Amino acid sequence: MESKAKRRVATENGDTGEDLVLATLIRNGDDLGPIVRHAFEMGRPESLLHQLKHVVKKKEVEIEDLCKTHYEEFILAVDELRGVLVDAEELKGELSSDNFKLQEVGSALLIKLEELLESYSIKKNVTEAIKMSKNCVQVLELCVKFNKHISEGQFYPALKTLDLIEKNYLQNIPVRAVRMIVEKRIPIIKLHIEKKVTSQFNEWLVHIRSSAKDIGQTAIGHAASARQRDEEMLELQRKAEEQNISGLGDFAYTLDVEEIDEESILKVDLTPLYRAYHIQSCLGIQEQFWEYYYRNRLLQLNSDLQISSAQPFVESHQIFLAQIAGYFIVEDRVLRTAGGLLLAEQVEKMWDTAIAKMKSVLEEQFSHMNSATHLLLVKDYVALLGSTLRQYGYEVGPLLETLDKSKDKYHELLLEECRQQIANVIASDTYEQMVLKKDTDYESVVLSFNLQTSDITPAFPYIAPFSSTVPDACRIVRSFIKGCVDYSSHGAHTNFYDVVRKYLDKLLIDVLNEVILNTIQNGNIGVSQAMQIAANISALERACDFFLRHAAQLCGIPIRSVERPQACLTAKVVLKTSRDEAYHALLNLMNKKLDQFMALTENISWTLEEPPQNGNDYINEVVIYLDTLLSTAQQILPLDALYKVGNGALDHISNSIVSAFLSDSVKRFNANAVMGINNDLKMLESFADEKFHSTGLSEIYKGGSFRGCLIEARQLINLLSSSQPESFMNPVIREKNYNALDYKKVSSICEKFKDSTDGIFGSLSNRNNKQSGRKKSLDMLKKRLKDFN
């Protein structure tokens, strides 16, 4: 009820809800902007203005009510203010009196203050004077210190002192004259330092160039030692692998890689260079110094790349290459340690220049060399140079490719040298079997080249089947292989076994085999020499396997990879062909010698009146010669060659016996002469059988014999001695008993038989002369006999 009354009173007083809200906002000090904006947006600004006026009136009423309520209190407050005004006047008087007294006292103090301020000013001036004096003293002390550094050649400390003076003291020098002197002297001093440093740097340039050769030689020497250690270790590893394969043990070797001791190589002090570069940087002219250093070093390089014509290159190449190696070792050190003095692109440019010049020099010098040793000497040092500089990051591939291009020239020279050596060896050979008196000789001559025919060590003294040509030639070939490997190794290609093998074949075929064939074909050798050459070729064939293994071993190729049948040398086949050529020459020479003995058949009496009891005289000499020949062949030739020699000799004798009957010097012969030849033939057959068994050929050629080589002579003698010679005309019998005889030869021989008038031989010869009508059938018969033979 009370709230309703209040609302009604408020309504009566004109207070609506909006008026209350507006009054509350004004009382709280809130922003009326939103209400004003809303009123204008709603189009009711008059209503808002009316409300504001109503609020103002309400506040005025409240103020009036408040004044009426506190009127007495206002009166009291006014009275109090009047009392305070009286007190303030009293206080003002007191303050005036105190101020007068203070002024009296303060005047004396003010005089003292002015004196104090004057003292402070004097002190400040003195302090500044002292400070200025100290600055002058410090500058002078720095100048003295600077002069001392200059006199001692310590340019960097001197430059730092000068920089300190210029930056920290120069502008603070109070004495203008001193400051101007110092300012003028600073550029002159800097120029003096620059000249001094440049002079020292130029001396260092001269010194480093003269030391480059020693640096290069030391570095290349380290590379050579490292290579030797690696080769020794690889050799031990290869031996260990071979022993492991053979089941002889288990060995392990490790290849230690030795780091380059740069300090032991680069013994030249680079401090002058570092100092010069640092001082030039401090002077602000480092770019100028970059250019100066690069230009002078490039001039030195171009000078180093010039070779002297006063000395052969083979004598001066080590100095030439060592100088270049030392140069680039120094440049690598400068590039890595001089802090930007040299750019990698500049070093690459200098290296490209050196590579191009070295390639040109090497190609020209190689083209003029006529000694494989000299070429190998230069190549080996160039390879060491490449190995040395590769460790410093230089690309040496183009240099090694230049060496690879000269390999044909080197091998041509090496082949020519080996040709001369082999020719001298063969020319000086006595063609006598070597006699080895002790096991060391056997090992160095036979085992070292795989020339043994048995794994059993023989008794000593041992007579080898070959002459001195074989071990001497093997040593030359082994040396050739070493030369090939030495040139091909450490080059652009790591797998060079095929190259070595190619040139090994070339040596054995085009040089060794050719010299042997020339010796065979020049016609200045006898039977024993031809036999020894054939035996030597057989030994060299066996040595081919050793040559191939030795080449593989030096090239680092596993031995088992070259022991396959398809891996053999072509030269082995070629030597086999040459051996056959030697056998052919041996047979020809042997036949010529036999012809000399068989020529003695002209001294036989072909018309003996009594049957001979023994053979003819010539046959003894023939048998003795054959015995000597085959005994010698048995010692030095393989059994297959011995078989060929025996067959060839006896076959030739058989032909010679038949030819003796056909000889024009034999006009007629009788049965007694045939019996004498029969005795000769029996001696030969007996000898042939004995030799065939004693030489061991009967165990190998079970279906063959030497006797079969005399078949033509035997069938002829059997026919001439036959009681029924007419059986020759029977094809079946002729095929069985006389298949080696030629019809025409038989016909010619029959005409010479003394008793042929009444016998079958007469009818046979007459038939050959008279029955011309049967010419066609006889021609067919001759053709069949010829085809059979």
Side-chain angles (χ1 to χ4, degrees), residues 116 138 143 167 230 251 269 552 585 591 664 683 765:
L116 179 62
Q138 289 177 350
C143 290
K167 290 182 178 180
D230 291 346
F251 300 93
D269 185 14
N591 291 341
D664 294 337
M683 288 182 64
S765 61

Side-chain angles (χ1 to χ4, degrees), residues 458-513:
F460 297 99
Y462 168 71
I463 301 176
F466 48 81
S467 66
S468 61
T469 290
V470 173
D472 290 343
C474 288
R475 293 186 187 99
I476 294 172
V477 174
R478 183 173 61 185
S479 175
F480 176 85
I481 296 171
K482 181 68 165 59
C484 291
V485 173
D486 287 343
Y487 193 88
S488 300
S489 59
H490 311 294
H493 305 289
T494 55
N495 187 7
F496 48 86
Y497 169 72
D498 291 337
V499 175
V500 175
R501 175 175 170 168
K502 181 185 77 172
Y503 284 108
L504 175 58
D505 255 335
K506 192 174 182 65
L507 170 71
L508 295 175
I509 296 172
D510 295 346
V511 177
L512 178 60
N513 183 67

Side-chain angles (χ1 to χ4, degrees), residues 704-769:
S705 66
F706 283 156
R707 179 188 285 265
C709 300
L710 301 169
I711 188 64
E712 185 180 10
R714 169 46 60 197
Q715 289 182 1
L716 178 60
I717 296 302
N718 289 344
L719 179 61
L720 295 177
S721 304
S722 175
S723 59
Q724 295 178 341
E726 67 275 5
S727 60
F728 180 76
M729 298 305 299
N730 187 326
V732 177
I733 296 177
R734 183 168 61 249
E735 181 65 24
K736 180 180 179 181
N737 298 328
Y738 306 111
N739 58 355
L741 295 179
D742 179 71
Y743 185 89
K744 291 180 64 177
K745 289 181 180 180
V746 172
S747 176
S748 299
I749 292 172
C750 289
E751 290 179 356
K752 297 182 181 184
F753 199 33
K754 183 177 180 181
D755 299 330
S756 63
T757 304
D758 300 324
I760 184 65
F761 297 103
S763 63
L764 189 61
S765 61
N766 292 333
R767 200 176 302 140
N768 188 43
N769 294 326

Side-chain angles (χ1 to χ4, degrees), residues 28 153 382 510:
N28 294 334
V382 173
D510 295 346

Side-chain angles (χ1 to χ4, degrees), residues 133-342:
S133 299
K134 286 182 177 180
N135 286 340
C136 292
V137 170
Q138 289 177 350
V139 170
L140 293 175
E141 287 177 351
L142 289 174
C143 290
V144 172
K145 184 178 180 181
F146 171 82
N147 290 332
K148 181 179 179 182
H149 289 323
I150 291 292
S151 63
E152 294 176 353
Q154 299 178 0
F155 298 116
Y156 177 68
L159 203 58
K160 296 297 289 184
T161 303
L162 188 65
D163 185 64
L164 184 65
I165 293 173
E166 188 175 10
K167 290 182 178 180
N168 298 342
Y169 294 97
L170 181 61
Q171 300 303 323
N172 298 326
I173 296 177
V175 183
R176 184 171 179 274
V178 175
R179 184 171 65 250
M180 292 181 63
I181 291 174
V182 173
E183 286 179 347
K184 288 182 179 180
R185 296 294 295 175
I186 285 176
I188 298 174
I189 290 170
K190 287 183 176 181
L191 182 61
H192 171 74
I193 292 175
E194 180 185 352
K195 289 181 178 179
K196 279 288 187 181
V197 170
T198 303
S199 176
Q200 292 181 356
F201 173 69
N202 290 336
E203 293 176 359
W204 178 84
L205 283 175
V206 175
H207 176 66
I208 200 65
R209 186 187 180 192
S210 63
S211 303
K213 180 188 69 174
D214 296 332
I215 295 172
Q217 288 177 338
T218 302
I220 292 174
H222 279 256
S225 300
R227 178 200 289 183
Q228 184 177 359
R229 287 192 300 272
D230 291 346
E231 290 176 350
E232 291 174 354
M233 187 61 66
L234 289 174
E235 179 64 24
L236 290 175
Q237 286 181 326
R238 282 196 294 266
K239 290 181 178 178
E241 290 174 0
E242 292 175 7
Q243 290 177 344
N244 288 337
I245 292 171
S246 303
L248 298 178
D250 187 11
F251 300 93
Y253 294 90
T254 58
L255 185 61
D256 296 328
V257 179
E258 181 179 351
E259 296 294 333
I260 301 174
D261 185 4
E262 189 173 354
E263 295 301 327
S264 66
I265 296 176
L266 191 59
K267 297 181 180 180
V268 177
D269 185 14
L270 298 182
T271 304
L273 172 65
Y274 301 148
R275 181 170 58 243
Y277 178 50
H278 195 57
I279 291 174
Q280 299 281 8
S281 299
C282 292
L283 291 173
I285 54 175
Q286 60 181 6
E287 294 183 1
Q288 177 181 336
F289 186 70
W290 294 344
E291 179 63 27
Y292 185 79
Y293 175 83
Y294 179 67
R295 184 174 64 253
N296 280 275
R297 286 295 282 166
L298 193 59
L299 289 173
Q300 287 186 344
L301 174 62
N302 290 329
S303 178
D304 291 340
L305 291 173
Q306 304 301 317
I307 61 173
S308 173
S309 58
Q311 192 177 14
F313 185 72
V314 70
E315 298 178 6
S316 64
H317 73 279
Q318 292 190 1
I319 296 176
F320 171 73
L321 296 173
Q323 183 76 22
I324 296 173
Y327 178 94
F328 283 100
I329 291 172
V330 171
E331 292 309 292
D332 175 74
R333 182 73 174 273
V334 171
L335 175 65
R336 290 186 291 107
T337 62
L341 171 61
L342 199 59

